[in-house]
Amino acid sequence: MEELNQIVRDYLEAQNTDYAIMINGDWGSGKSYYIKHDFRDVVTDVDYEPEVSKLESIQAKTAEISTSFQKYDDQSAKYDAKKYYPFYVSLYGISSIEDFNNKVADGVHDWIGKGIDMAKSFAKAKFGVNIPFSVGVYIPHNAVLVFDDLERICSDKITPVEVLGLINSYAEHHNKKVIIVCNESEFSKQTTEYKQNSKGVIDFHKYKEKTIRFTYTYKPNILLVYDKFAKEYQDEYGEYLAKNKEYILDLFNVGGKQNLRTLKFFVDIYHIIFKALQGVDLEKYANLVLKKLVTTTLIYVMEYKQGAQKQD
């Protein structure tokens, strides 16, 4: 994972970039988990040096105001105009340019917009003054735009190439830092399954080089992620997961695809079984019973997530 972290740092530290980078990987490989955890810490640790505009100074000030009112979560308190800051934009299900713009506005101004809306309301009520700008059309200079789920757009109404062109305008024409998170293998499936969209999908592979300079293939660190899942349970169950880590992961690896959503699903489902057995006297057979239940539960979960058992 440190290799990917360093790639992100190098990209953010590079001056005058006019391109994006892509994190590619299978569904369930942990791309989104990485973006929402380790990635955020990497990004907010990189200095943003250019001069801060007057508008951005207002945004920083409203962030301070918002935290003083204690109405916003911890992320707003961590905002620093002198550091890079990631904004997550899911492209899931977009079907038009208007959808795209709304998604960007929602992702970028989730809490900054609330802070400025509060400042505008205060100015109106206290001084009778209308602040003459709309946060909905402004993106902070230190923003890192993360576009996820590119392969999940509603491509019978808008093609991947059209969306890529919209993303490119931020990277190439406005020199924003842009990271695209995608499962490229799904584009090939879309070409086969939805023939009416095949041209848009094929064009994506043809034109992506204009926008994307570098593609990193994401491969999850199963051992590390398993430890994080286990630590979420600060009780006997967490200890059980840690103690039986090798056995559980050996079974999981036999299943083939290393889908982290499936692993997390198993950990959560087995927690229910584990708790139910706490009040049962299993005598000397406790470990054997739990081990057999791990095996059957994990097999069932993997089949269920692949669609094999959803009729039961």
Side-chain angles (χ1 to χ4, degrees):
M1 200 59 61
E2 183 53 38
E3 179 185 7
L4 177 55
N5 290 343
Q6 190 58 51
I7 288 170
V8 171
R9 292 189 197 97
D10 291 344
Y11 174 57
L12 297 183
E13 291 171 353
Q15 297 295 311
N16 302 316
T17 56
D18 59 357
Y19 57 88
I21 63 175
M22 175 184 280
I23 299 174
N24 174 48
D26 292 337
W27 286 341
S29 63
K31 303 186 303 296
S32 295
Y33 184 90
Y34 167 77
I35 288 295
K36 294 175 181 179
H37 292 82
D38 296 356
F39 173 83
R40 177 176 291 275
D41 293 335
V42 172
V43 170
T44 55
D45 192 48
V46 179
D47 292 334
Y48 177 80
E49 298 293 347
E51 180 181 354
V52 177
S53 67
K54 291 182 179 178
L55 180 55
E56 195 157 10
S57 296
I58 294 174
Q59 287 183 315
K61 194 63 179 177
T62 54
E64 293 177 17
I65 294 172
S66 69
T67 53
S68 68
F69 279 89
Q70 298 182 341
K71 288 187 176 181
Y72 303 98
D73 60 23
D74 291 341
Q75 293 305 326
S76 59
K78 294 177 182 177
Y79 182 78
D80 183 348
K82 294 182 180 180
K83 298 281 189 179
Y84 277 104
Y85 194 88
F87 293 99
Y88 181 84
V89 180
S90 173
L91 300 173
Y92 188 99
I94 68 166
S95 59
S96 66
I97 293 175
E98 183 180 8
D99 274 353
F100 176 86
N101 291 333
N102 287 338
K103 288 275 192 176
V104 173
D106 289 344
V108 172
H109 302 303
D110 183 31
W111 65 266
I112 293 181
K114 291 176 185 176
I116 289 189
D117 285 343
M118 184 182 71
K120 290 169 72 173
S121 297
F122 176 79
K124 177 67 175 178
K126 186 75 173 177
F127 306 109
V129 175
N130 288 314
I131 298 178
F133 63 82
S134 170
V135 70
V137 297
Y138 182 77
I139 297 177
H141 294 302
N142 64 329
V144 178
L145 298 176
V146 182
F147 293 97
D148 198 1
D149 298 318
L150 181 62
E151 73 282 1
R152 295 180 189 265
I153 64 173
C154 187
S155 57
D156 59 331
K157 297 178 181 178
I158 185 170
T159 68
V161 169
E162 290 174 307
V163 174
L164 200 60
L166 295 170
I167 293 174
N168 183 66
S169 66
Y170 289 111
E172 182 176 5
H173 304 298
H174 299 288
N175 298 114
K176 299 297 184 187
K177 300 295 184 180
V178 175
I179 295 177
I180 299 171
V181 184
C182 177
N183 179 356
E184 277 198 277
S185 65
E186 283 302 310
F187 285 119
S188 298
K189 292 182 181 178
Q190 289 180 35
T191 303
T192 302
E193 296 172 5
Y194 307 106
K195 293 183 179 179
Q196 70 272 24
N197 302 325
S198 61
K199 184 179 186 303
V201 172
I202 293 170
D203 282 350
F204 170 81
H205 293 292
K206 180 179 178 181
Y207 291 109
K208 82 165 194 174
E209 297 305 321
K210 177 175 173 57
T211 301
I212 300 165
R213 177 74 58 85
F214 178 82
T215 299
Y216 178 89
T217 300
Y218 184 89
K219 294 182 180 179
N221 185 328
I222 299 295
L223 298 177
L224 181 62
V225 175
Y226 180 91
D227 289 341
K228 289 183 178 180
F229 289 165
K231 287 178 181 178
E232 291 178 7
Y233 295 91
Q234 302 294 324
D235 54 18
E236 288 183 44
Y237 183 58
E239 295 175 5
Y240 177 83
L241 290 176
K243 183 178 179 181
N244 293 275
K245 173 180 177 179
E246 183 177 353
Y247 180 75
I248 293 172
L249 290 184
D250 282 347
L251 281 175
F252 182 69
N253 290 331
V254 170
K257 277 193 171 183
Q258 294 189 325
N259 189 305
L260 296 189
R261 281 197 286 269
T262 298
L263 181 59
K264 185 65 166 69
F265 185 49
F266 162 76
V267 169
D268 292 341
I269 289 294
Y270 196 69
H271 182 223
I272 299 172
I273 298 172
F274 186 87
K275 286 197 303 181
L277 289 174
Q278 293 305 290
V280 179
D281 184 7
L282 299 174
E283 299 179 345
K284 62 181 180 180
Y285 302 106
N287 289 333
L288 179 61
V289 170
L290 286 171
K291 185 164 286 190
K292 285 183 177 294
L293 284 171
V294 164
T295 305
T296 54
T297 303
L298 187 51
I299 290 172
Y300 186 86
V301 162
M302 287 191 287
E303 290 186 344
Y304 176 84
K305 294 297 281 186
Q306 293 173 18
Q309 297 292 340
K310 291 190 177 183
Q311 296 299 320
D312 289 349

